[in-house]
Amino acid sequence: MSSTNVVADITSVGMLPAFRPADHVQRIFAGLFFGAFAGSLIGILFFSYGMAPFGYILPFIVAAALLVIGLTLYYLVRDTTDHSIPVVAKVLGTAEHVSNRRLKSGGIAVPVVVHPLEGENFRTIVVANAKRGEPGDIPVGTLLALRQIEPGVGDLYPAEATEEQREYMRRWADNPRLVKNRAKALPLRRSPLDRRPLLAGIELYGAVLVSAIAMILALSAL
């Protein structure tokens, strides 16, 4: 396939919302925690004069309680089943400059075509990062042994290659046309703290607002 705007083409399929039970818990309790922190700062700033000593301890108690409750709920509702499957990916060429593919995290979006050892081929992106300095782009044609996190979603993560993956990589290297580059693109899943779509933003900012107001009112009463 000739080099085109491959990353833009892949990402145009959109992203899946983080609406799994564990995602809701992470988002809401993160909002409650940051709201309590902001409310504590505001409350102490405006009501410190004449406030009982307990008022300075209360924020730490609330923060510890939110942390314990949030982690407990998260571990109770999270899906511990491993839905991942081994895949082999090949880096595709693109006309998009590295600067146009740089992500907010600092990494570089790299387009790949993926052959799952179980299932249909698809296209997605992987992120090139660097532990130090600027991340470098991954050369076109590079073969990667990865795992697909869940069916129907384009998120991949590195893992130790299986013998079956290594064998397929050898076959693909010997026959570059083994997998067609024009496979369908799969969406990625948003981060649990992403404020999109609207419901996710309501959960996050609503939790921040409620927690901050509650903390301010509690400190003002002491």
Side-chain angles (χ1 to χ4, degrees):
M1 183 180 71
S2 59
S3 294
T4 56
N5 296 331
V6 185
V7 171
D9 181 41
I10 292 173
T11 56
S12 67
V13 301
M15 300 184 72
L16 297 176
F19 280 173
R20 297 163 295 186
D23 297 329
H24 291 293
V25 171
Q26 281 185 271
R27 192 158 46 242
I28 291 172
F29 275 86
L32 292 174
F33 189 88
F34 287 115
F37 176 76
S40 298
L41 292 179
I42 296 172
I44 292 175
L45 178 64
F46 285 95
F47 306 110
S48 59
Y49 178 76
M51 188 170 64
F54 179 71
Y56 295 96
I57 303 174
L58 180 61
F60 296 98
I61 297 175
V62 171
L66 288 174
L67 183 62
V68 171
I69 297 172
L71 286 175
T72 301
L73 287 176
Y74 173 78
Y75 284 110
L76 285 175
V77 303
R78 68 173 180 156
D79 184 2
T80 57
T81 305
D82 184 6
H83 299 286
S84 68
I85 60 173
V87 303
V88 177
K90 179 181 179 180
V91 176
L92 299 175
T94 178
E96 297 150 309
H97 192 270
V98 170
S99 61
N100 296 328
R101 292 185 279 125
R102 193 171 299 280
L103 306 174
K104 292 181 179 179
S105 62
I108 298 171
V110 179
V112 294
V113 61
V114 181
H115 172 74
L117 299 188
E118 302 174 13
E120 297 182 359
N121 300 334
F122 62 90
R123 288 184 301 158
T124 185
I125 62 170
V126 295
V127 180
N129 289 305
K131 293 183 178 180
R132 296 181 180 179
E134 290 292 319
D137 206 0
I138 304 176
V140 175
T142 300
L143 295 175
L144 306 167
L146 305 168
R147 292 190 74 88
Q148 181 184 8
I149 293 180
E150 56 182 309
V153 182
D155 292 298
L156 308 175
Y157 71 92
E160 184 176 352
T162 65
E163 182 55 41
E164 191 175 1
Q165 284 174 299
R166 286 191 285 265
E167 174 59 28
Y168 198 88
M169 291 171 74
R170 287 190 287 267
R171 290 174 55 198
W172 203 347
D174 292 338
N175 182 10
R177 296 179 180 271
L178 188 61
V179 175
K180 294 182 179 180
N181 293 343
R182 293 297 300 180
K184 67 177 181 180
L186 290 185
L188 303 174
R189 189 177 294 282
R190 294 189 184 278
S191 162
L193 298 185
D194 198 316
R195 299 172 298 279
R196 294 166 294 176
L198 179 61
L199 178 58
I202 292 174
E203 287 181 342
L204 182 62
Y205 289 125
V208 171
L209 184 62
V210 168
S211 183
I213 292 175
M215 204 67 209
I216 293 171
L217 293 176
L219 292 175
S220 66
L222 294 176

